[in-house]
Amino acid sequence: ASLSSLNYGWNYGVTNLPGDVITKCAAGPQHTILGLPSCLPTSDATWGLVISAFPIGALAGAISCTHFANAYGRKAVLLYSNVLSILGGLLFGVSVNAPMLLIARFLVGVAQGCANGTFTNYVAEISTPRARNTLGSVIQFSTCIGTMMSQLLALGLTVPPLWRVLFAITGVISLIHMALLTMCVESPKWLVSKDRIDEARKVLQQLRKSADCTEEFNTLVNTVRAEMGPNAYTATIYDVVRGKTPDNLRHQLLIAVLGMAFQQLSGISGVSFFSTKLFNSITNAPTHSTKPTLAQILTGMVSTIGTLAALFGIAMAGYFGRRTLLIFSHMAMAISSILISVGSVKGYNVLAIAMVFVFYCVYIVGAGSIPWVFPAEMTPIYAVSAISAVSGSIAYASVFAIGMAFAPLMDVLKGYTFLLFAATNLAASVLFFFLLPETKDKRVTEMIRIHSVGVHNVMKRKYRAELYSEKDKECM
């Protein structure tokens, strides 16, 4: 199921390196290969729209799939969202102008927005609290793998007509994803909500192997029937935004939105979409070339080291809580952003480049994965899909905004650009210190009971949940 995150990472990074070959015909004058143009000359603004069509599509997917995930199941949505990615991949292969590329990016974005939000809920619903510490990080690890693969393969697939193959690989990933999903089980929580009790019991036992999880299953049935039985209430996006839910979920909504907003306001989208441009500005290297440039090689190295950082993040998730890792991540990005600016302005190229690597790695460890996971760990099941849709929409809207604004900001502010991101990361650290509770090894029902009281300062003792008891650990 994590291939949905890998595909998201692929499409997130695939436009970085081949941009000049496609839009500026850096490989030579436009000509026809197999009846298709070798390049698609277009302006930087139009290319920015092509890049940003992906997060806009993802926003549409995140909003539209809430109903389908509740009605037809998490597995079904993960399975059939791949159809749009396959269509997008085919369109990439035959595009003859920028609007066709834009439509393909939008279709793929809808698929990944739909799948990503559903996958995070799926992980929270099938895993134990202890396993969520690792599985939550797998989301970011898979995304990093996808980004790394797209940028490393791009070093050899940017020349015409191979850039079409590079873009179309997203459809191949989706085909593999569909095949592997047939071996996955449906969410036991969703099955209980549809009163498919026997099937849910079988699935839960399958997930827990030989452990006796009768108590866990009984608790699951009682909780889900109370919250989301066949005739129970299911919150809409309008309900959670207006506060029209049975529980006061203002706090859950606020930290979900802030988590996703600051994830992108950290500056990571600028690094992911425009790292080649950023390294060019630092090294003053040529911007157009048919061979891999220093900036392009550095971009591939960033994604590779970021993948190793994701492995480190998976290990750290078992020892440190979500709250600790997220605050550390934003503080470290704030410091890195300041040093990137210092290196760029003063001409300390080695410092600036090194800090870009550090920035990307500390993002991966915390801010990259945690905002996707914690809403499902403290929200009633009747509102999980709606809150995830809202927070996911904020994330994709922020990706679009940063994607459109980063290049113009660099043209105007040059080396000082990352000082803006230093400020946003510092603000995130302070806000999460007071608003984000620890969810590691905590029972979801207990987190819901404690924090469904409106916006509050989680540093107060009365808002601290107990850890799982010893008798629960057999199923963990």
Side-chain angles (χ1 to χ4, degrees), residues 276-293:
T276 304
K277 179 181 177 69
L278 176 61
F279 285 133
N280 277 331
S281 70
I282 294 172
T283 61
N284 294 316
T287 56
H288 310 322
S289 176
T290 57
K291 297 180 179 180
T293 64

Side-chain angles (χ1 to χ4, degrees), residues 94-435:
V94 297
S95 292
V96 296
N97 52 45
M100 290 181 71
L101 285 180
L102 187 149
I103 293 170
R105 288 275 291 174
F106 180 81
L107 288 175
V108 171
V110 172
Q112 301 314 313
C114 191
N116 250 18
T118 304
F119 178 55
T120 54
N121 293 339
Y122 180 74
V123 166
E125 291 174 2
I126 67 171
S127 58
T128 63
R130 182 170 296 172
R132 285 201 307 265
N133 298 333
T134 300
L135 290 176
S137 299
V138 168
I139 296 172
Q140 185 59 44
F141 179 63
S142 300
T143 303
C144 290
I145 290 284
T147 303
M148 178 187 72
M149 288 171 56
S150 70
Q151 296 188 348
L152 291 181
L153 286 177
L155 293 174
L157 294 178
T158 55
V159 296
L162 296 181
W163 61 263
R164 295 181 181 276
V165 176
L166 181 70
F167 276 68
I169 286 175
T170 184
V172 177
I173 296 172
S174 292
L175 284 170
I176 297 171
H177 190 204
M178 291 185 78
L180 293 177
L181 275 170
T182 60
M183 296 183 283
C184 294
V185 297
E186 182 54 88
S187 160
K189 280 190 176 183
W190 182 82
L191 291 170
V192 171
S193 75
K194 299 302 179 183
D195 210 28
R196 293 158 62 176
I197 304 301
D198 291 338
E199 190 176 348
R201 182 185 291 108
K202 181 180 178 181
V203 164
L204 185 65
Q205 192 60 58
Q206 207 175 330
L207 290 167
R208 302 297 184 260
K209 301 297 182 183
S210 59
D212 179 9
C213 293
T214 303
E215 183 178 349
E216 180 189 4
F217 182 72
N218 291 336
T219 301
L220 172 66
V221 172
N222 293 334
T223 302
V224 174
R225 278 181 168 171
E227 293 180 353
M228 199 179 174
N231 299 314
Y233 164 74
T234 300
T236 64
I237 293 174
Y238 176 82
D239 291 336
V240 297
V241 171
R242 294 294 301 273
K244 305 293 185 181
T245 53
D247 299 287
N248 189 334
L249 304 179
R250 290 292 190 187
H251 194 84
Q252 287 91 327
L253 179 63
L254 177 63
I255 62 173
V257 167
L258 288 178
M260 288 301 194
F262 279 118
Q263 183 190 67
Q264 300 306 323
L265 293 175
S266 67
I268 190 62
S269 290
V271 172
S272 298
F273 287 153
F274 299 103
S275 54
T276 304
K277 179 181 177 69
L278 176 61
F279 285 133
N280 277 331
S281 70
I282 294 172
T283 61
N284 294 316
T287 56
H288 310 322
S289 176
T290 57
K291 297 180 179 180
T293 64
L294 174 61
Q296 291 173 334
I297 293 171
L298 288 172
T299 295
M301 290 175 62
V302 165
S303 60
T304 303
I305 292 176
T307 302
L308 298 177
L311 283 174
F312 178 74
I314 290 175
M316 291 301 98
Y319 293 95
F320 298 100
R322 313 268 194 265
R323 185 173 183 273
T324 302
L325 286 176
L326 188 61
I327 293 172
F328 161 77
S329 182
H330 280 292
M331 282 296 296
M333 283 192 288
I335 295 169
S336 300
S337 296
I338 293 171
L339 293 177
I340 289 172
S341 288
V342 170
S344 299
V345 171
K346 296 295 185 179
Y348 305 147
N349 292 348
V350 174
L351 174 65
I353 291 171
M355 286 303 104
V356 171
F357 279 78
V358 171
F359 181 98
Y360 192 73
C361 289
V362 294
Y363 164 83
I364 296 299
V365 169
S369 61
I370 292 173
W372 290 102
V373 177
F374 64 68
E377 297 180 332
M378 56 186 298
T379 304
I381 192 171
Y382 69 77
V384 167
S385 293
I387 286 184
S388 296
V390 173
S391 60
S393 299
I394 293 296
Y396 300 130
S398 300
V399 172
F400 173 78
I402 299 298
M404 292 298 293
F406 188 83
L409 276 174
M410 280 198 66
D411 290 339
V412 174
L413 299 178
K414 301 190 183 303
Y416 294 99
T417 303
F418 271 81
L419 291 180
L420 296 176
F421 300 126
T424 56
N425 281 301
L426 182 60
S429 301
V430 173
L431 286 171
F432 289 135
F433 181 82
F434 291 106
L435 294 176

Side-chain angles (χ1 to χ4, degrees), residues 42-88:
T42 188
S43 66
D44 288 342
T46 302
W47 183 241
L49 287 174
V50 170
I51 293 174
S52 298
F54 176 68
I56 289 298
L59 188 156
I63 293 174
S64 62
C65 275
T66 302
H67 166 73
F68 296 109
N70 287 334
Y72 303 108
R74 315 320 191 201
K75 179 181 174 180
V77 168
L78 288 171
L79 185 66
Y80 292 111
S81 62
N82 286 294
V83 174
L84 288 177
S85 277
I86 294 169
L87 291 175

